[in-house]
Amino acid sequence: MILDENTAHKTAELLLQINAIKLNPQEPFTWASGLKSPIYCDNRIILSYPPIRNFIVSEMAKPIETLFGKPDVIAGVATGAIGIGAIIADYLGLPFVYVRPEPKKHGRQNQIEGKLDPHANVVVIEDLISTGKSSLNAVNALKNEGQANIKGMMAIFTYGFEASEQSFKDEHLDVYTLGNYDILLEEAYKTNYLNKTEVELLKTWRKDPANWNH
């Protein structure tokens, strides 16, 4: 669920402005999940633009306490949300941890990095929600290994796949985002970042990404 429609449009405008959105229908990107996609959203680049970074951080941080209650800890999902999550934690004056996709193979073999007290109230930060698998993997690690009480999740952007939204509902996880796919396409077309044919292609892909034929 987007926090605010005006914010969602502004977020999309900023992501397009810094070329965080990559389009390549001829040679689709392969996501970590294995899905083939004609579009790739690289939110890590936000960290390199201080005014945009500050906007994203403040818009994500300000509503956290209202939505979820005051958390004890902010947790970022590695690797994409480590940077933005740490800055949000600093903005709120809260401790920060991050969650690896799996435990390290060496050293202390941690999956959760940082100090997390048992039963701490945690808000999870994601940069991007696609299939939702990596997000829920992090949530489950926090619950199982860290004995955390997950208050909710905040993300910069979601593709809005039905499967991911259903997975979050099944886990009773409240998820809020600054932007989403539909508003991104609106802004991309309005600013001539995408033409009408490209927009229709991206709408078709989103309906059934697993069986999309490029």
Side-chain angles (χ1 to χ4, degrees):
M1 178 189 302
I2 57 170
L3 288 164
D4 175 81
E5 189 164 335
N6 290 333
T7 302
H9 279 281
K10 181 65 176 177
T11 300
E13 177 189 325
L14 294 173
L15 291 177
L16 293 167
Q17 182 182 314
I18 60 175
N19 293 315
I21 309 300
K22 308 295 183 185
L23 182 70
N24 195 345
Q26 287 73 37
E27 297 182 26
F29 304 96
T30 303
W31 290 355
S33 61
L35 278 180
K36 297 289 185 182
S37 169
I39 189 169
Y40 187 80
C41 184
D42 184 8
N43 288 330
R44 294 174 181 85
I45 198 171
I46 290 167
L47 298 172
S48 299
Y49 295 86
I52 295 173
R53 182 182 71 210
N54 292 341
F55 170 82
I56 296 294
V57 166
S58 64
E59 291 300 316
M60 292 178 79
K62 284 187 291 189
I64 281 178
E65 190 169 338
T66 302
L67 293 171
F68 307 121
K70 186 170 177 60
D72 301 310
V73 179
I74 297 295
V77 180
T79 58
I82 293 177
I84 208 78
I87 300 169
I88 288 170
D90 185 64
Y91 185 101
L92 295 172
L94 291 171
F96 177 73
V97 301
Y98 70 86
V99 189
R100 298 176 181 275
E102 58 185 23
K104 281 200 307 186
K105 305 295 186 187
H106 58 279
R108 296 173 59 199
Q109 301 181 341
N110 292 340
Q111 185 167 3
I112 300 170
E113 298 289 1
K115 186 177 185 295
L116 181 64
D117 293 329
H119 314 298
N121 294 319
V122 177
V123 170
V124 180
I125 303 297
E126 262 286 25
D127 68 319
L128 176 74
I129 296 173
S130 52
T131 64
K133 290 179 180 177
S134 60
S135 305
L136 288 174
N137 180 58
V139 166
N140 289 329
L142 288 162
K143 285 180 178 178
N144 298 332
E145 181 187 331
Q147 303 174 54
N149 177 26
I150 307 300
K151 303 298 289 183
M153 179 179 293
M154 186 79 75
I156 298 171
F157 181 81
T158 179
Y159 285 97
F161 294 138
E162 287 183 16
S164 66
E165 292 183 354
Q166 187 60 51
S167 295
F168 294 139
K169 285 179 184 175
D170 291 344
E171 291 291 327
H172 306 290
L173 181 67
D174 291 330
V175 178
Y176 293 87
T177 68
L178 291 190
N180 68 13
Y181 191 70
D182 293 328
I183 288 175
L184 174 70
L185 293 188
E186 285 181 34
E187 284 294 322
Y189 181 65
K190 186 171 77 175
T191 57
N192 297 316
Y193 197 94
L194 299 176
N195 61 39
K196 189 172 184 179
T197 300
E198 290 168 332
V199 169
E200 290 306 315
L201 179 148
L202 291 172
K203 287 181 178 179
T204 301
W205 166 78
R206 209 270 298 273
K207 287 177 184 175
D208 189 10
N211 297 304
W212 178 66
N213 185 0
H214 68 282

